[in-house]
Every structure is written in structure tokens, then in C-alpha cells.
Amino acid sequence: MRTIWLEPDGGAVGIIDQTRLPHDFVAVQLGTLAEAAHAIRAMLVRGAPLIGATAAYGLCLAARADPALPALERAAELLNATRPTAVNLAWAIRRMMTSLRATDTGNRAPAAYAEAARIADEDAAQCEAIGRHGATLIEAIARQRPGRVNLLTHCNAGWLATVDWGTALAPIYVAHERGLDLHVWVDETRPRNQGASLTAWELGRHGVPHTVIADNAGGHLMQHGKVDLVFVGADRVTRHGDVANKIGTYLKALAAHDNGVPFHVAVPSSTIDWALADGVREIPIEERKGNEVAIMTGRTETGDIASVRITPETSPTANPAFDVTPARLVTGLITERGCCAASQAGLHALFPEAA
Amino acid sequence: MRTIWLEPDGGAVGIIDQTRLPHDFVAVQLGTLAEAAHAIRAMLVRGAPLIGATAAYGLCLAARADPALPALERAAELLNATRPTAVNLAWAIRRMMTSLRATDTGNRAPAAYAEAARIADEDAAQCEAIGRHGATLIEAIARQRPGRVNLLTHCNAGWLATVDWGTALAPIYVAHERGLDLHVWVDETRPRNQGASLTAWELGRHGVPHTVIADNAGGHLMQHGKVDLVFVGADRVTRHGDVANKIGTYLKALAAHDNGVPFHVAVPSSTIDWALADGVREIPIEERKGNEVAIMTGRTETGDIASVRITPETSPTANPAFDVTPARLVTGLITERGCCAASQAGLHALFPEAA
């Protein structure tokens, strides 16, 4: 099963409503551009690669309704504005529009579906390759000493964040399938709890040993030798190797650096923004609603889904959704073409055509 | 109003049930040693100085029931085992027992109440002094440039964590009362949310401008110049200046260091453990129940208090409650005798009789 698929009617697009996990597994059908934009904006789908694939299918739904170019340009603009940080969104829309602008009006809808399918298939293949390359890093630790390899991950960069496999979790799945004894510390990932709700759910379904921890705990675990490797995904990587990822990633990178723990960022090349250099200055950081901090949703003892406020009614909240980890704190990038240093030189060696 | 008081009957002890804040303000009467031990263990009271004062009053309640020394030694042992990390607990019990062992059986109960009152009064006075010393650091920033001074704090080291005033928040209250324009970023402080529930409530009641943020957000805010000073409290400081405080403090110290933001730790001398040197190796770190990570309590839209599970039922959780910030990351300590470097030399200069 993938996270996004074409429905049997050949037009509508199916997704998993990730806001309902881990308590309910609910598939949702997207029939219009507006529904696709809503799914991205309201985070029914999230994760940079899946945002890109959903935007691509959003343009298919737009082309099905009106294949004229002005309508498609407006659709592209609408989708581009849904979320600001993940560069895969702009990348997928640009790729789709390049193809659609070169296609006759009458052929645009089928051409859009074909291109979106290619984007989805390529993402799955790239993530599988990331899994194979990243697994060698886990295997290297396992060869160095006996016992379980302990990884730490932040947010959800798994199957659910991509079309299939995941980015940061792909190497973990590959290593687990190869029989390695591993265990994953899962950062809860406040305020939206993607670690507690999505990563824990994914790893549990795949039988990968894991433990959910508060985001605050990772530094302490690293100080006490309980983390061998940190693997995270990214929403945007600059050509210098700076990494925008879920808020709090930077704090884990600092702790990894302070304790000599390797810190790797797994990304398909669609997440690399070759136009940007300095991530802290240049990557736009989404500010989300403060209610995501103030109000927490979960399952009550009686099985109902309920939301509870944890802050005083009168206290304001702020909610920056991403932060930027400078390249100097990143041990390496894991891409579909292999591992490289988080630097212009490292990226250039793997992607000479782009860098 | 203080956080702990003698009830009008002259025997029972009143506290605020801090597990009910910010939604309900409920005072609880402690009539027995067992009730005092429960209040500490179940965190009706928390914060190193208040834990110490509550343990002192716990021994009063024990002495009232049975002033014989063997019974008091058992009471001391029981209280000592309630929580492992805050050294104020052992400090207050040691001080009480030294006094009680030197007192005739018939006079032990009144002597205990007198000594506990002195501990509480001294804590309030020390915290007020910390407030005055720490306020000079805020004023120095305000003199350097126009505009609001932004502070960040983790967990609750306010009035509620002590007998009165607080440690990290005392300087903020003093500076606010002196009319300084300041604003506090309040770390939510997962998993027990002491920032979101206690610090936000305290600051709101005092009219201090503040914003609640996820623990993950502080590094990002520091990268963008939005934090001028970090003030935290501590549960134990070694003679070398290593600081045990609420889990996640170390991550904020790393971010402050990486961004040149001063990071100060406010402690009464009762929090300094002169017997320990290396905090990471020597300070015992409490492991609390994983349910504190898995289950979140708050107020529903209809006003009820409810608990919701945020993790999958089958995912294990881990919950280390404190971490240790090495002295190299601490800009300075703020004590009742003034500010000093977080080092043996710095502490020795202020406390020559102890260091």
C-alpha cells in the first residue's frame, strides 16, 4: 500500500487522513483541486515528498476540471501557497507545469496523470535507494560492536511522509528486514506529535522495536551513550547543506554534535533547493496556529477522540513549524545516489548536473 | 500567599495541588507524614526548594504523631526516597534531623515546626535576593539597547516551585515590578507541561507578557535573535557548576551557547550539592512512568478535565525526568549571595565556608 493512489475510477485520488492516526485509519478521496489543496494545508497529508506528490495529483484534478492553461496556472499558484517550507511542493508543481505547458489542451489531463504517476513512482524508487544507502551506516555500527543499534528520529520521515518507504525510516526498515537488531527512540515531536502518532504507529506495524520519548529527552540519552545514530528527514536542504526540518531538529543536531553521535539527514534530490545557500537566512519558516500548542487531541479511556487545552485560556502561544540545522552540525546526507557530506562539494559530487 | 503554610490549627500543613493547575486552583491539607510523602511523590508539590520545605513539614507531621527518634529516622528515610534528583530534599531532611536529634523527645514536635518555618522563611528570603541579583542582568540588557527584553525559561522555576518568589522567575518579577519592558518565552516542558500549566499561569496572574511555545521552538527563536537571556532553575548543582534541571534544559543550553545567548541558572544555596563534582556521571536522574508521555490531561471545550492518549497503545514510552547541563554551557549562577561563574572557583568565592 502507498500513501497516495489513483482510485478505480481513474480520476479521483486516494490518501490516508494522517490527522486521524494512530487512533483511526481512514482513507479519504480527493476529487477536486480544492480538496487536494485542503489536504495539504490541513495536513491530512504531510512530509515533504508526499506534499509534492499530492500537489502533482492536485494539478491532475485541476486539469480534469479545466485543462486551459490560465486555469492551471491559477491552480499551481493555489497549491504553491498551501505550505511554505517544503521545497518538494514547488519542485513538483514546476515539473508538472513544464510538462503541461508543452502539451496540447486536449491531452493535458492524461499527460498530468502520467507525470504525477512518474513523480510518485520515482519518489518510491528514490526512497528505496535511500533505504539501501542508509542501511550501510547502521550495518557499520553493528559491525563495530555487539548488541543492539540505537537510533533516534524526530518527527515522521517514514512511509507516511513519502509515497512509500520513507526517507529517515527507509534505512531502518531495510536494516530491520536484513535482520539487524535495532531500536528507535521516537521523539514525540510537539506540537503536532507526528512522532508519537505516526512514526510510532509505522514502526509498530512493521515490528521495529521503538520507544516514544518527549522531545526533551534526546540530549540526555545521547549524553549516556544510548543513541548510536540520529536519522531525520528534511523539508528543504540548501546547496550548502543547511537543513530545514521539523521544529526541534536543530536542538537534536546540537546534542548529537556535542556527544559525537553521527547525525544524518535522508532526502530525495527533490528536497534539495539548489537556489538557496544560507538556510537560516533564506528558508521561509511556516508559522502555524498557536492552537496546535495549546490544544492536544487524543483518545480517551472510553475510546472517544477528544481535544483538551493544556495552557491557560489567557496565555498566548507561538508555533514556528520548522527550524534550520546548519550544515556544520550534519554528519552527512543520504540521497538516492548515495551518502555525501552536507556541503556544496559533497552535493556537487553526487549531483554534478544540478550543483 | 505562599505555596506552603501552617493551617490555623497549628499542626496541619496547607499546599496548592499543582497537578490541577492551570484549570483549577485547589488547596490541599496535609495531616500526616504519609500525605506529605504522597504530595511530593505525586507532584502535588514540585520544584526543588518547595520539595525541601514540604519534606521539612513532613517531618513536623511525623514528630507530631510520634516524636521518638527511631520513628523520625524512618520518616526521614521515607521522605528521602520520594524523589531522587532534587538535592534540596536531602538537604532539608538532614537539617531537620540534625536539629531533632539534638532536642528532647518532648520538645521535638514544636522544635520541628520552628525549624521548618525557618527553612521556609529562609527560602523565601533567598529567592527574593536571587530576584534582586538576577534583575541586574535583565536591566543590563535593557540599558544596551531600546525595546523589549526577551527571556526564555524552561519548566517552572517560579513562585510555585519555591516557598515564594521563585528562582528563575524571581528576577523577572523584580524587573517587571521595576517597570522594565520584558517578555518571556515559556517552554511547554513536556511531558508534564509545567511551563504550559504553571509558568504561564503564574506569569499571567502577575501580568508579565509571555508566550507559550513547544520545547522544540527555542533553538529557532535564538537563531533569529528573539531571545536575549535564558533563565532556568535547578534541582541540583554540583560544586563544579554542573546543573541538573528538568529534562530538555541541556538542549536549550546548547542552543544558547551556539547562538551567544547568556544562559543563567538561578538557585538558592540549598540546591548546591557540595559532595558531587561531575554532574553527568554522579547526579541520579529520576525515571518516571511512561504514561506521563503517552497520556495528556487538560480541559475539554465543555470545561471538564479529561485525559487523552496520544501514542499507539502498543508503543512503549520512556520518561527520564531530568538532564544535566555541563558547567561549560552555563554563563553564570544566580544565588542569594549574588552571581558567579558556574565553576568551583566561582562557587568558592561566594560560599567560602562550603566549597
Side-chain angles (χ1 to χ4, degrees), chain B:
Chain B
M1 185 182 189
R2 286 183 169 184
T3 56
I4 189 163
W5 59 87
L6 202 59
E7 294 285 0
D9 70 1
V13 176
I15 58 162
I16 301 159
D17 181 353
Q18 300 193 21
T19 65
R20 312 262 317 250
L21 289 171
H23 308 296
D24 295 306
F25 184 91
V26 178
V28 169
Q29 195 168 303
L30 308 176
T32 65
L33 165 69
E35 287 171 4
H38 171 76
I40 298 171
R41 203 183 295 112
M43 296 179 68
L44 280 68
V45 292
R46 19 68 52 207
L50 181 55
I51 287 172
T54 307
Y57 276 110
L59 284 173
C60 299
L61 297 168
R64 189 172 69 148
D66 181 353
L69 265 187
L72 290 175
E73 299 286 358
R74 282 195 301 275
E77 208 175 317
L78 175 79
L79 288 164
N80 247 325
T82 48
R83 299 203 56 199
T85 303
V87 77
N88 305 59
L89 179 70
W91 169 87
I93 293 168
R94 202 163 53 237
R95 177 166 157 177
M96 290 290 292
M97 290 305 291
T98 302
S99 162
L100 293 176
R101 284 186 200 112
T103 306
D104 291 341
T105 309
N107 293 321
R108 275 198 198 113
Y113 279 99
E115 187 69 10
R118 274 191 293 273
I119 286 174
D121 288 346
E122 286 173 25
D123 184 66
Q126 287 174 352
C127 286
E128 191 187 356
I130 286 169
R132 279 184 279 107
H133 296 306
T136 62
L137 299 169
I138 305 175
E139 288 168 335
I141 302 275
R143 273 196 304 272
Q144 281 167 25
R145 56 151 184 71
R148 178 167 269 201
V149 179
N150 284 292
L151 297 107
L152 183 143
T153 193
H154 189 70
C155 197
N156 174 264
W159 171 65
L160 289 167
T162 64
V163 173
D164 204 352
W165 286 94
T167 53
L169 296 194
I172 291 168
Y173 289 134
V174 170
H176 178 69
E177 280 176 17
R178 289 180 186 168
L180 261 78
D181 183 17
L182 53 81
H183 165 263
V184 185
W185 298 106
V186 177
D187 272 4
E188 173 183 51
T189 317
R190 290 281 297 139
R192 287 187 65 99
N193 308 339
Q194 292 98 331
S197 60
L198 304 179
T199 298
W201 181 82
E202 269 198 53
L203 293 174
R205 267 172 55 118
H206 282 81
V208 179
H210 65 282
T211 305
V212 179
I213 51 173
D215 300 307
N216 284 324
H220 169 74
L221 295 173
M222 293 185 213
Q223 281 181 319
H224 291 272
K226 293 181 179 170
V227 180
D228 297 303
L229 280 171
V230 180
F231 278 5
V232 296
D235 292 80
R236 194 184 300 218
V237 174
T238 70
R239 67 172 184 274
H240 286 182
D242 293 342
V243 172
N245 190 43
K246 182 58 52 196
I247 191 80
T249 302
Y250 167 52
L251 297 173
K252 291 301 138 60
L254 286 166
H257 187 76
D258 200 45
N259 292 284
V261 175
F263 182 95
H264 293 275
V265 180
V267 283
S269 53
S270 52
T271 300
I272 303 166
D273 186 343
W274 303 102
L276 299 192
D278 181 333
V280 174
R281 283 165 186 257
E282 298 178 61
I283 298 176
I285 299 297
E286 181 176 9
E287 283 283 338
R288 294 186 59 85
K289 288 196 179 136
N291 264 356
E292 293 184 354
V293 177
I295 294 170
M296 190 96 60
T297 300
R299 188 193 282 279
T300 66
E301 272 212 324
T302 57
D304 300 321
I305 302 301
S307 295
V308 294
R309 169 176 285 274
I310 58 165
T311 56
E313 296 279 350
T314 50
S315 289
T317 44
N319 185 15
F322 302 92
D323 64 21
V324 173
T325 299
R328 65 184 152 84
L329 300 174
V330 179
T331 308
L333 303 174
I334 311 169
T335 78
E336 70 270 20
R337 294 196 190 165
C339 301
C340 72
S343 66
Q344 194 154 17
L347 283 166
H348 187 263
L350 282 187
F351 299 94
E353 77 282 13

Side-chain angles (χ1 to χ4, degrees), chain A residues 15-352:
Chain A
I15 58 162
I16 301 160
D17 181 353
Q18 300 193 20
T19 66
R20 312 263 316 250
L21 289 172
H23 308 296
D24 295 306
F25 185 90
V26 178
V28 169
Q29 194 167 304
L30 308 175
T32 65
L33 165 69
E35 288 171 2
H38 171 77
I40 298 171
R41 202 184 296 111
M43 297 179 67
L44 279 68
V45 292
R46 21 66 53 207
L50 181 55
I51 287 172
T54 308
Y57 276 109
L59 284 172
C60 298
L61 296 168
R64 189 172 67 149
D66 182 354
L69 263 188
L72 290 175
E73 300 285 358
R74 282 195 302 276
E77 208 175 316
L78 174 80
L79 288 164
N80 248 326
T82 48
R83 298 201 59 198
T85 303
V87 77
N88 306 60
L89 180 69
W91 169 86
I93 293 168
R94 202 165 50 240
R95 176 164 156 179
M96 290 289 293
M97 290 305 291
T98 301
S99 162
L100 293 177
R101 284 187 201 110
T103 306
D104 291 341
T105 309
N107 293 322
R108 276 199 197 113
Y113 280 99
E115 187 70 10
R118 274 192 293 273
I119 286 175
D121 288 346
E122 286 174 24
D123 184 66
Q126 287 174 350
C127 287
E128 190 185 358
I130 286 169
R132 279 184 278 107
H133 296 306
T136 62
L137 299 169
I138 305 174
E139 288 168 334
I141 302 274
R143 273 195 304 272
Q144 281 166 26
R145 55 152 186 71
R148 177 167 270 199
V149 179
N150 283 293
L151 296 108
L152 184 143
T153 192
H154 189 69
C155 198
N156 173 263
W159 170 64
L160 289 167
T162 63
V163 173
D164 204 352
W165 287 93
T167 54
L169 297 194
I172 291 169
Y173 289 134
V174 170
H176 177 70
E177 281 175 16
R178 290 180 186 169
L180 262 79
D181 183 18
L182 53 82
H183 166 262
V184 184
W185 297 106
V186 177
D187 271 5
E188 173 182 51
T189 317
R190 289 282 295 141
R192 288 186 64 98
N193 308 340
Q194 292 97 330
S197 59
L198 304 180
T199 298
W201 180 83
E202 268 198 55
L203 293 175
R205 267 171 55 119
H206 282 82
V208 179
H210 65 282
T211 306
V212 179
I213 50 174
D215 300 308
N216 285 323
H220 168 74
L221 295 174
M222 292 185 213
Q223 281 181 319
H224 290 272
K226 294 180 179 169
V227 181
D228 298 302
L229 281 171
V230 181
F231 278 5
V232 297
D235 291 81
R236 193 184 301 219
V237 173
T238 71
R239 68 173 184 273
H240 285 181
D242 294 342
V243 173
N245 190 43
K246 182 56 53 196
I247 192 80
T249 302
Y250 166 52
L251 297 172
K252 292 300 138 59
L254 285 166
H257 187 76
D258 200 45
N259 292 285
V261 175
F263 182 95
H264 293 275
V265 180
V267 282
S269 54
S270 53
T271 300
I272 304 166
D273 186 343
W274 303 101
L276 300 191
D278 181 332
V280 174
R281 283 164 187 259
E282 298 178 61
I283 298 175
I285 299 297
E286 180 176 9
E287 283 282 340
R288 294 186 60 85
K289 287 198 179 137
N291 265 356
E292 292 184 352
V293 177
I295 294 169
M296 190 95 61
T297 300
R299 188 193 281 278
T300 66
E301 272 211 325
T302 55
D304 299 322
I305 302 300
S307 295
V308 296
R309 169 176 285 273
I310 58 164
T311 56
E313 296 279 351
T314 51
S315 289
T317 44
N319 186 15
F322 302 92
D323 63 21
V324 174
T325 299
R328 64 184 153 86
L329 300 175
V330 178
T331 309
L333 304 175
I334 311 169
T335 77
E336 71 270 19
R337 294 197 191 165
C339 301
C340 71
S343 67
Q344 194 153 17
L347 283 166
H348 187 266
L350 282 187
F351 299 94

